[in-house]
């Protein structure tokens, strides 16, 4: 381990944003110090994306074995052995963690383990040593937050961090927050046999997704026996003999073994020397411009930690990667362009999955954009019928500029159904390369695949529907 010293770039925080910046900067021959107080890989690798997706895969296996008779395959579902599920999950995390450490070592990034603190616009102190850099990148990420007056005890009132460590399936759970994290845990726990109710203040699950996607998700969740209370503000929680009782603003009371609080994530920025050294902060988030520059010329910031005025900044691992790369390239002297945040693909990996890129119908209306839309049901798609999944592909395009003309650019793609997350990569090329439905209609999609739903929706928008009921 290095003992203090001078670097081209000192990065505080080794999560998705920080390590992506380190890896790309090293490609420019920069000397990089990456400071991490826990495990490199951060939230995504150890407490977020990867462990939750491992749980969701185990949940899918449970559902497949339970429902296998429908496909003529005889199996017996004997139950969930949570310690074994956790060991599979941990095995996945550890393999990726080892790989990441060796990638960082191969690029000669100096890892410094310890609690870092910004001590000047060009230095970070760790374990009594000082690391100076021509440039410092803040990447300290986020942590679960709660609501005022709602205290977390880690046993009955828990966060996603606690939920990932739970070595049993709760018999019942109330999930506060119907965003991505809440919906994914609801899906896992239901597949594992728990009674689940989601409490969401907004009028739909996944409030940031298109209303049409949320409606399909809600229909399927209802069929799966997942309860939800929408437009229902949380009021209070009390302990009972067997768990917790939650009272909603509507007066309704719900009982369960655990309450999972999934109401969003707050920035990790307190007492780290940020404001003392001239960095401005809004509600704890570090203010940056669209090129991730703070007010201090030698300090940039990336990932879940940042606030960009006028932009709804998504807290996603791939956004952290992109921002880390952007900063490294800017410091490497490349001519970088701001990220188009509307063009970032988003996936909720529940059953069914919800995936989207671009704007929603509500956003098109707010921005005064005239659009045409198609909802292509998965029932018309051979592969989806084989899988037994329901859902839809909604494509939003600019309305034709003259009557009878072709629609303009595709502005949004919103998918719901099993495995549709993998399809959003094609949708993002369509949206980000400003393709029009007629361009996409000319491309042949392989049959029978779920990717045909994107082809079919665009064929319909281009006025030449194939497997589509008028
Ligand atoms: C349950 C859950 C599921 C998720 N699923 C997905 C998903 O499927 N897809 C997706 O794109 N995103 C997902 N996310 C979000 C994703 O994990 C984050 O967007 C991403 O990790 C943000 O990266 P970051 O580098 O900004 O911060 P973090 O990953 O939080 O990393 C920050 C790092 O800084 C370190 N640090 C903090 N303070 C200090 C200090 N003082 N000194 C040294 N080190 C410090 C921390 O230990 C941490 O390692 C999920 C999150 C959660 C919680």
């Amino acid at each position: 381990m290095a003992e203090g010293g001078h670097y081209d770039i000192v990065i505080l925080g080794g999560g998705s944003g920080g390590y992506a910046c380190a890896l790309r900067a090293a490609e420019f021959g920069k000397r990089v110090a990456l400071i991490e107080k826990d495990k490199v890989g951060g939230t995504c690798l150890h407490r977020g994306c990867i462990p939750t997706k491992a749980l969701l895969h185990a949940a899918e296996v449970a559902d497949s074995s339970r429902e296998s008779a429908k496909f003529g395959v005889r199996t017996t579902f004997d139950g969930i052995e949570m310690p074994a599920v956790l060991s599979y999950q941990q095995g996945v995390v550890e393999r990726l963690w080892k790989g990441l450490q060796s990638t960082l070592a191969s690029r000669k990034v100096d890892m410094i383990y310890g609690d870092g603190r910004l001590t000047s616009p060009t230095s970070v102190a760790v374990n009594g040593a000082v690391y100076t850099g021509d440039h410092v990148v803040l990447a300290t990420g986020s942590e679960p937050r709660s609501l005022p007056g709602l205290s977390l005890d880690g046993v009955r009132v828990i966060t996603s961090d606690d939920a990932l460590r739970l070595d049993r399936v709760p018999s019942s759970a109330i999930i506060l927050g119907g965003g991505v994290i809440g919906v994914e845990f609801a899906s896992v726990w239901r597949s594992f046999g728990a009674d689940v109710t989601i409490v969401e203040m907004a009028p739909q699950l996944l409030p940031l997704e298109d209303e049409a996607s949320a409606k399909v998700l809600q229909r399927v969740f209802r069929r799966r026996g997942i309860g939800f209370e929408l437009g229902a503000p949380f009021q209070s929680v009390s302990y009972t003999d067997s768990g917790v009782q939650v009272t909603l603003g509507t007066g309704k009371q719900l009982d369960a073994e655990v309450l999972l609080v999934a109401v969003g994530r707050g920035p990790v920025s307190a007492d780290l020397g940020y404001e003392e050294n001239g960095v401005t902060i809004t509600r704890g988030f570090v203010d940056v411009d669209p090129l991730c520059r703070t007010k201090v010329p030698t300090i940039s910031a990336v990932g879940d930690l940042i606030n960009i005025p006028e932009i709804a900044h998504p807290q996603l691992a791939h956004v952290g990667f992109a921002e880390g790369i952007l900063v490294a390239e800017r410091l490497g002297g490349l001519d970088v362009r701001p990220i188009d945040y509307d063009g970032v693909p988003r996936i909720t990996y529940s059953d069914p999955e919800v995936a989207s890129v671009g704007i929603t119908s509500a956003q098109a209306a707010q921005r005064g954009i005239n659009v045409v839309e198609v909802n292509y049901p998965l029932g018309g798609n051979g592969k989806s019928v084989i899988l037994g999944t329901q859902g839809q592909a909604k494509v939003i395009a600019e309305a034709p500029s003259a009557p009878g003309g072709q629609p303009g650019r595709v502005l949004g793609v919103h998918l719901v159904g099993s495995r549709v997350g993998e399809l959003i990569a094609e949708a993002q090329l369509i949206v980000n390369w400003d393709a029009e439905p007629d361009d996409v209609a000319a491309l042949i999609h392989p049959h029978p695949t779920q990717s045909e739903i994107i082809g079919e929706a665009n064929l319909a928008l281009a006025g030449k529907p194939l497997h589509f009921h008028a």
Side-chain angles (χ1 to χ4, degrees):
M1 186 191 294
E3 274 299 325
H6 186 79
Y7 290 84
D8 296 316
I9 307 177
V10 173
I11 303 171
L12 183 54
S16 312
Y19 82 69
C21 186
L23 289 173
R24 186 72 180 114
E27 288 169 10
F28 287 102
K30 301 275 185 198
R31 279 202 71 217
V32 182
L34 182 59
I35 301 168
E36 171 55 52
K37 69 174 177 186
D38 188 9
K39 291 177 181 163
V40 70
T43 303
C44 175
L45 181 51
H46 301 282
R47 299 172 296 280
C49 327
I50 299 297
T52 50
K53 268 79 252 178
L55 284 188
L56 280 153
H57 183 63
E60 188 185 338
V61 173
D63 286 334
S64 299
S65 70
R66 232 188 244 118
E67 292 158 14
S68 68
K70 172 161 107 180
F71 304 97
V73 178
R74 283 207 307 265
T75 60
T76 317
F77 175 73
D78 280 344
I80 304 293
E81 204 180 303
M82 212 48 210
V85 173
L86 292 185
S87 116
Y88 148 69
Q89 177 205 62
Q90 218 30 52
V92 172
V93 169
E94 263 162 37
R95 184 166 166 186
L96 293 170
W97 182 36
K98 273 201 190 107
L100 176 60
Q101 292 172 87
S102 76
T103 305
L104 285 159
S106 75
R107 305 255 178 109
K108 312 228 173 323
V109 171
D110 274 353
M111 281 304 308
I112 291 132
Y113 287 100
D115 224 316
R117 192 170 197 286
L118 190 68
T119 45
S120 84
T122 52
S123 63
V124 175
V126 190
N127 305 329
V130 175
Y131 298 84
T132 57
D134 294 343
H135 207 91
V136 174
V137 180
L138 308 178
T140 42
S142 65
E143 61 192 1
R145 72 168 168 226
S146 186
L147 295 176
L150 173 58
S151 42
L152 306 159
D153 65 11
V155 181
R156 294 196 207 181
V157 183
I158 62 176
T159 65
S160 59
D161 291 359
D162 306 314
L164 282 169
R165 287 189 294 258
L166 217 56
D167 62 0
R168 65 182 199 288
V169 178
S171 59
S172 56
I174 299 165
I175 299 181
L176 190 56
V180 179
I181 295 175
V183 162
E184 289 187 352
F185 271 102
S187 190
V188 168
W189 279 341
R190 185 67 197 135
S191 298
F192 285 176
D195 282 329
V196 182
T197 307
I198 305 172
V199 174
E200 169 56 52
M201 221 167 81
Q204 67 173 53
L205 292 178
L206 301 180
L208 301 179
E209 292 294 346
D210 195 274
E211 193 186 340
S213 295
K215 280 203 171 127
V216 178
L217 174 73
Q218 287 163 203
R219 198 167 61 230
V220 181
F221 265 21
R222 213 172 282 124
R223 206 168 299 139
R224 291 188 57 200
I226 296 173
F228 42 88
E229 299 285 333
L230 302 177
F234 165 85
Q235 190 168 303
S236 61
V237 60
S238 56
Y239 290 111
T240 61
D241 287 347
S242 55
V244 289
Q245 182 170 73
V246 169
T247 306
L248 305 180
T250 54
K252 190 162 183 173
Q253 291 186 316
L254 304 165
D255 288 87
E257 187 185 325
V258 295
L259 170 64
L260 168 62
V261 179
V263 293
R265 294 178 60 84
V268 175
S269 62
D271 304 322
L272 293 179
Y274 293 174
E275 282 174 292
E276 291 94 308
N277 288 292
V279 171
T280 63
I281 302 262
T282 301
R283 288 172 287 104
F285 291 94
V286 168
D287 297 323
V288 294
D289 70 7
L291 295 182
C292 298
R293 295 178 291 212
T294 72
K295 288 263 157 26
V296 182
T298 51
I299 302 179
S300 300
V302 297
D304 282 9
L305 175 70
I306 65 172
N307 165 59
I308 312 177
E310 315 288 320
I311 286 174
H313 180 255
Q315 289 181 318
L316 289 170
H318 43 289
V319 168
F321 295 149
E323 290 165 349
I325 291 167
L326 182 152
V327 169
E329 293 188 346
R330 174 163 56 72
L331 299 178
L334 295 194
D335 186 16
V336 291
R337 279 188 291 172
I339 291 166
D340 171 9
Y341 289 96
D342 279 345
V344 173
R346 308 164 290 260
I347 306 174
T348 304
Y349 298 81
S350 46
D351 176 22
E353 292 185 345
V354 178
S356 64
V357 62
I359 59 172
T360 62
S361 300
Q363 285 169 326
Q366 275 157 19
R367 297 178 193 184
I369 307 172
N370 241 339
V371 294
V372 285
E373 302 177 350
V374 152
N375 279 335
Y376 184 78
L378 262 53
N381 173 256
K383 186 62 190 268
S384 299
V385 174
I386 290 167
L387 294 174
T389 183
Q390 294 182 339
Q392 69 179 24
K394 172 173 172 176
V395 178
I396 303 170
E398 287 169 329
S401 49
Q406 278 291 331
R409 292 171 305 159
V410 175
L411 301 177
V413 178
H414 303 271
L415 310 175
V416 190
S418 296
R419 304 187 183 179
V420 296
E422 298 292 342
L423 304 182
I424 210 66
E426 177 187 356
Q428 79 141 330
L429 294 183
I430 293 170
V431 170
N432 290 310
W433 278 347
D434 293 337
E436 298 179 359
D438 204 35
D439 301 324
V440 184
L443 301 171
I444 298 169
H445 286 77
H447 177 76
T449 62
Q450 284 189 295
S451 73
E452 287 174 284
I453 62 175
I454 296 196
E456 294 269 3
N458 281 283
L459 278 164
L461 273 175
K464 30 191 153 175
L466 185 59
H467 301 93
F468 201 89
H469 286 290

